[in-house]
Amino acid sequence: MEKKSIRVLHIEDNLADHRLVIEYLKDYPFADFEITHAESLGKAKEFLDVDRYDIILADLGLTDAKSDFVVASLLAYLSTSAVIILTCSADDQRLFQYFELGVDEILVKGAFKPDAFPRRLLITYLRAQRRIKQPECLRLLRAKLRVK
């Protein structure tokens, strides 16, 4: 597999957790993760207004927004980005609701092995790319079938 270049917007108000993400994603042989850090949802929205990211990796425990508002705010970017939630919560019912709304992945902090973290992000990115490109592929297929 060709090494992917993946732009990640990491929304995290805890600098120690942000540093851990950087550590987990460095030197992964199948992807170069270019990480932009936003310490609040407000700052993340500023970044998202001017740039596009392959992955939005958001902590639910932000000081400037409650978890439901964080998820609702990021769903607008599902057409261009994979949305991955990081949480300390083990409230399965709430987490399942986020999946039903369209979140691509939910990772519980401390419940995954550090060496599996970049693989999980890459797989989620690849799945989201398929979802994002699907409408265009279907349009092309339909156009081709009409021609014949």
Side-chain angles (χ1 to χ4, degrees), residues 97-115:
Q97 288 174 345
Y98 295 153
F99 269 121
E100 289 174 351
L101 290 171
V103 168
D104 292 296
E105 183 67 87
I106 298 171
L107 300 172
V108 177
K109 291 180 178 181
F112 54 82
K113 294 181 181 179
D115 62 334

Side-chain angles (χ1 to χ4, degrees), residues 117-134:
F117 187 69
R119 181 181 321 110
R120 189 80 253 145
L121 264 61
L122 178 58
I123 289 168
T124 303
Y125 161 77
L126 293 171
R127 230 186 291 127
Q129 286 300 298
R130 192 170 49 213
R131 180 198 72 232
I132 291 164
K133 292 177 181 175
Q134 187 176 21

Side-chain angles (χ1 to χ4, degrees), residues 41-109:
L41 184 60
K43 188 66 175 174
K45 287 181 176 183
E46 289 177 27
F47 286 131
L48 289 163
D49 283 343
V50 296
D51 218 342
R52 185 184 128 349
Y53 297 88
D54 300 307
I55 295 174
I56 301 170
L57 180 64
D59 179 34
L60 285 185
L62 298 172
T63 54
D64 72 330
K66 294 197 181 289
S67 58
D68 289 347
F69 187 72
V70 171
V71 171
S73 298
L74 297 179
L75 292 178
Y77 302 97
L78 280 172
S79 64
T80 58
S81 304
V83 174
I84 301 173
I85 299 300
L86 286 171
T87 182
C88 293
S89 173
D91 180 356
D92 285 349
Q93 183 158 349
R94 165 91 19 106
L95 299 178
F96 292 145
Q97 288 174 345
Y98 295 153
F99 269 121
E100 289 174 351
L101 290 171
V103 168
D104 292 296
E105 183 67 87
I106 298 171
L107 300 172
V108 177
K109 291 180 178 181

Side-chain angles (χ1 to χ4, degrees), residues 129-130 132-143:
Q129 286 300 298
R130 192 170 49 213
I132 291 164
K133 292 177 181 175
Q134 187 176 21
E136 177 64 13
C137 292
L138 288 174
R139 186 190 67 74
L140 292 171
L141 180 60
R142 286 183 185 124

